[in-house]
């Protein structure tokens, strides 16, 4: 049995538990693994109790270090303020626990008495949070059964920017002649590296990292313009700020470091940060990772990707529709983009991840809607692999004339596939049973023809415009079912970057 479990069981069996041990167990319950600090009266017992539970304690020499977690009151707290301020400015979550005077001595001038405060640590923009522990509580003995430990808090909710703002930002970027993406520490904290890299490569954007945004996209990436930082800032006509603040590090966003007419697109999780120092052309309030996905959805390159498809689908979906979804990437990405506004209006593969249930769910939802709320639409969003499990239920749908809209997001495979040319080339020398990767399906399969074979409507789409048009037609027709076969990029490709604007001579 691990030492932490032994220690926990030993003090629980005694019937009484000290405040120090309650604090230590509360920290362990919240997922704390390491504690830094300088002990003294009255917090020494907390450090000892934490060690007994398996929390690793590192004794520091100065509370100003930003990792400090445990401090004494008075001068200990004052010294920790430097570290807390540093954590706040750098948006690092930091929990500082300090001991103070006993409760019956408050405001009486007790030893090292000092006013305390509490601040949010991880929600919104993260920062420092101080928890005050009175000295008498540390050594207080209470019945172990009277202690209730709060479970570790949930992750902060993920917020997305408003769709009109995303559309406006996409329009400004598309019309830019010399765009620049600045990646800040907020992007790193949001774990947005994958989507930012896709944004950089698919939209062919040069980028500049701030000191603590370095590495979100590697410094040796061909789109990085760190070596031409001053020139990039000076000549960019549109700058997208991803979790980066226009403070002294970025010269406050003001001339002469920037063009007087530069347009800033500001993306930040903190509303108070938007519009500081300059007036942005567009502000996008939300989680950096989620907003970057929305940006990806608005890009126009072909073949389309998942985000582009779901972006255009979301724009036209009725707010009261039922959404049924199954597939791997199709379902996972669709969860984040396709929004529900009413309860019990979404069905997907669920906890067991069962493939093949989607069309059955759609039939049941459509029958219910037909009886109880005529005109309410059922939208079934399928990956091409998932559709193959129970695709012949299309006959059932047509037999009962259920006006279900089937969207098959087709990437020619399970997770990913190949385009037609690659598939043909691959099979020139070997049989498909040897040459074709197991995840591949037949390229450009015409699933919409399964629907037309039974009397429904079928659409084969390859562009956003075709997708938008087919969606409008299917939503307008409530008399029969339809299937839209949506071709997307089988595998992500990397695109070269043109940085000629960075090397042009000043006119």
């Amino acid at each position: 049995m691990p030492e932490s479990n032994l220690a926990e069981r030993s003090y629980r069996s005694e019937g009484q538990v000290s405040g120090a041990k309650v604090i230590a167990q509360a920290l362990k319950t919240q997922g704390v693994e390491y504690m830094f600090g300088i002990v003294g009266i009255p917090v020494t017992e907390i450090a000892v109790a934490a060690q007994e539970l398996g929390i690793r304690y590192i004794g520091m020499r100065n509370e100003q270090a930003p990792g400090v977690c445990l401090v004494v009151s008075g001068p200990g707290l004052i010294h920790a303020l430097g570290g807390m301020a540093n954590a706040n400015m750098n948006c690092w979550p930091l929990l500082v626990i300090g001991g103070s005077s006993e409760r019956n001595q408050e405001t009486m001038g007790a030893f090292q008495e000092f006013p305390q405060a509490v601040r949010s640590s991880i929600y919104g923009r993260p920062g420092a949070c101080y928890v005050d522990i009175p000295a008498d509580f540390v050594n207080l003995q209470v019945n172990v059964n009277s202690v209730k430990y709060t479970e570790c808090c949930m992750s902060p909710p993920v917020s997305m920017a408003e769709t009109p703002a995303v559309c406006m930002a996409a329009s400004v970027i598309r019309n830019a002649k010399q765009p620049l993406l600045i990646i800040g520490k907020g992007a790193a904290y949001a774990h947005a590296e994958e989507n930012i890299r896709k944004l950089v490569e698919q939209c062919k954007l040069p980028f500049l990292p701030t000191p603590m945004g370095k590495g979100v996209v590697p410094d040796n990436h061909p789109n990085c313009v760190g070596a031409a930082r001053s020139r990039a800032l000076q000549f960019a006509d549109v700058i997208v700020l991803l979790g980066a603040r226009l403070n002294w590090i970025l010269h406050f966003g003001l001339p002469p470091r920037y063009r007087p007419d530069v347009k800033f697109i500001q993306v930040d999780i903190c509303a108070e940060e938007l519009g500081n120092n300059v007036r942005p052309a567009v502000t996008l309030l939300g989680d950096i990772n989620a907003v970057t996905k929305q940006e990806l959805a608005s890009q126009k390159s072909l073949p389309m990707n998942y985000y582009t498809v779901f972006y255009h689908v979301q724009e036209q979906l009725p707010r009261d529709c039922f959404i049924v979804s199954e597939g791997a990437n199709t379902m996972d990405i669709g969860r984040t983009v396709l929004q529900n506004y009413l309860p019990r209006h979404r069905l997907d593969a669920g906890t067991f991840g069962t493939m093949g249930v989607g069309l059955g769910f759609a039939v049941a939802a459509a029958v219910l809607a037909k009886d109880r709320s005529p005109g309410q639409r059922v939208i079934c969003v399928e990956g091409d692999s998932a559709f193959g499990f129970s695709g012949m239920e299309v006959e059932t749908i047509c037999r009962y004339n259920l006006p279900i809209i089937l969207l098959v997001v087709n990437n020619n495979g399970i997770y990913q596939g190949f385009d037609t040319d690659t598939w043909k080339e691959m099979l020139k020398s070997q049989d498909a049973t040897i040459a074709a990767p197991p995840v591949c399906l037949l390229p450009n399969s015409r699933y919409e023809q399964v629907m037309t074979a039974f009397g429904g409507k079928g659409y084969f789409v390859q562009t956003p415009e075709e997708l938008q048009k087919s969606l409008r037609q299917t939503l307008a027709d409530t008399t029969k079912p339809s299937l839209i076969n949506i071709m997307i990029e089988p595998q992500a490709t990397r695109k070269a970057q043109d940085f000629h604007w960075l090397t042009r001579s000043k006119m």
Side-chain angles (χ1 to χ4, degrees):
M1 179 177 291
E3 291 182 6
S4 59
N5 291 347
L6 284 171
E8 182 179 346
R9 192 170 71 173
S10 66
Y11 79 69
R12 283 184 179 276
S13 63
E14 295 169 359
Q16 294 286 309
V17 60
S18 69
K21 292 182 177 180
V22 172
I23 297 165
Q25 182 60 48
L27 291 173
K28 187 173 180 63
T29 303
Q30 294 297 318
V32 173
E33 298 180 14
Y34 300 90
M35 178 183 290
F36 303 81
I38 300 178
V39 297
I41 299 172
V43 297
T44 304
E45 291 85 351
I46 298 175
V48 172
Q51 287 180 313
E52 289 177 353
L53 286 179
I55 296 175
R56 301 176 67 178
Y57 176 79
I58 294 91
M60 306 295 291
R61 300 299 297 271
N62 187 338
E63 294 95 337
Q64 293 176 11
V68 166
C69 179
L70 191 66
V71 297
V72 297
S73 58
L77 172 62
I78 293 172
H79 290 169
L81 289 177
M84 294 171 70
N86 190 49
N88 255 3
M89 292 304 295
N90 285 309
C91 308
W92 293 332
L94 171 65
L95 178 64
V96 177
I97 297 176
S100 64
S101 58
E102 296 185 8
R103 287 170 292 176
N104 61 359
Q105 298 176 350
E106 286 181 0
T107 73
M108 295 176 62
F111 176 65
Q112 293 188 339
E113 181 181 19
F114 196 77
Q116 321 294 338
V118 177
R119 297 192 65 181
S120 174
S121 178
I122 63 170
Y123 275 45
R125 171 174 286 175
C129 176
Y130 182 80
V131 179
D132 173 39
I133 308 295
D136 55 330
F137 181 81
V138 173
N139 295 307
L140 181 68
Q141 295 288 323
V142 296
N143 188 294
V144 68
N145 295 322
S146 68
V147 180
K148 304 296 182 184
Y149 293 102
T150 302
E151 293 182 1
C152 185
C153 62
M154 296 185 297
S155 298
V158 176
S159 56
M160 301 177 72
E162 296 180 347
T163 299
V166 175
C167 294
M168 184 181 298
S171 176
V172 172
I173 294 171
R174 280 196 296 270
N175 293 326
K177 295 181 179 179
Q178 299 173 171
L180 177 65
L181 186 67
I182 297 182
I183 302 173
K185 67 168 68 72
Y189 183 78
H191 293 262
E193 49 268 18
E194 182 179 351
N195 286 310
I196 291 178
R197 179 188 57 78
K198 289 180 180 177
L199 185 66
V200 164
E201 294 176 355
Q202 293 181 11
C203 297
K204 304 174 70 173
L205 290 172
F207 72 90
L208 178 68
T210 65
M212 291 182 62
K214 290 169 69 67
V216 171
V217 181
D219 286 349
N220 64 353
H221 193 284
N223 294 41
C224 182
V225 295
R229 182 181 188 276
S230 296
R231 190 170 185 82
L233 295 177
Q234 188 174 8
F235 290 98
D237 61 344
V238 171
I239 294 178
V240 183
L241 297 165
L242 289 178
R245 292 174 289 183
L246 291 175
N247 53 21
W248 65 273
I249 293 177
L250 291 176
H251 314 287
F252 310 107
L254 301 174
R257 294 284 188 168
Y258 298 83
R259 289 172 43 158
D261 60 345
V262 63
K263 294 180 180 179
F264 285 101
I265 298 173
Q266 200 168 5
V267 186
D268 206 285
I269 199 170
C270 180
E272 292 81 359
E273 191 60 42
L274 301 176
N276 277 351
N277 297 329
V278 301
R279 185 179 181 87
V282 188
T283 58
L284 302 175
L285 177 63
D287 176 82
I288 303 295
N289 196 30
V291 174
T292 308
K293 288 181 181 179
Q294 293 178 275
E295 287 282 343
L296 280 168
S298 62
Q299 60 96 11
K300 298 291 186 178
S301 63
L302 295 176
M304 294 184 286
N305 61 34
Y306 288 102
Y307 301 104
T308 307
V309 169
F310 292 140
Y311 177 83
H312 292 293
V313 170
Q314 175 61 37
E315 279 192 317
Q316 296 196 43
L317 285 187
R319 292 177 70 90
D320 66 344
C321 72
F322 291 96
I323 298 177
V324 180
S325 182
E326 64 174 334
N329 295 330
T330 298
M331 185 173 66
D332 292 342
I333 299 173
R335 283 192 184 117
T336 66
V337 182
L338 299 179
Q339 300 177 29
N340 286 92
Y341 303 97
L342 297 172
R344 299 171 295 281
H345 278 58
R346 179 182 175 86
L347 295 163
D348 65 21
T351 305
F352 213 35
T354 308
M355 293 296 102
V357 299
L359 271 65
F361 285 170
V363 168
V367 169
L368 188 69
K370 195 172 185 179
D371 289 344
R372 298 188 180 181
S373 50
Q376 192 171 20
R377 305 312 302 269
V378 176
I379 316 295
C380 187
V381 186
E382 300 270 312
D384 51 336
S385 172
F387 178 75
F389 280 83
S390 54
M392 287 307 293
E393 294 296 350
V394 167
E395 186 274 334
T396 307
I397 293 171
C398 290
R399 188 182 346 136
Y400 293 101
N401 197 32
L402 301 173
I404 298 169
I405 299 174
L406 293 174
L407 306 179
V408 178
V409 184
N410 190 350
N411 69 343
N412 299 335
I414 304 169
Y415 303 113
Q416 59 186 18
F418 290 107
D419 58 37
T420 302
D421 292 339
T422 304
W423 176 263
K424 290 179 179 178
E425 186 67 28
M426 193 165 48
L427 301 186
K428 279 184 177 180
S429 58
Q430 288 182 306
D431 184 81
T433 59
I434 301 297
V439 296
C440 290
L441 297 174
L442 192 66
N444 291 357
S445 294
R446 302 301 294 264
Y447 297 113
E448 79 284 355
Q449 293 180 7
V450 178
M451 178 64 80
T452 59
F454 297 110
K457 289 188 174 180
Y459 302 84
F460 181 78
V461 305
Q462 295 176 289
T463 68
E465 292 74 22
E466 292 172 349
L467 175 58
Q468 291 169 338
K469 182 179 179 181
S470 61
L471 274 172
R472 283 194 297 269
Q473 292 176 354
T474 55
L475 287 168
D477 186 357
T478 59
T479 64
K480 62 175 56 180
S482 57
L483 188 154
I484 304 176
N485 187 12
I486 308 166
M487 301 306 303
I488 67 169
E489 186 177 20
Q491 292 185 319
T493 57
R494 182 166 172 159
K495 300 179 181 179
Q497 172 66 50
D498 176 12
F499 293 120
H500 290 323
W501 69 267
L502 284 176
T503 56
R504 285 192 206 114
S505 59
K506 187 175 179 181
M507 302 299 291

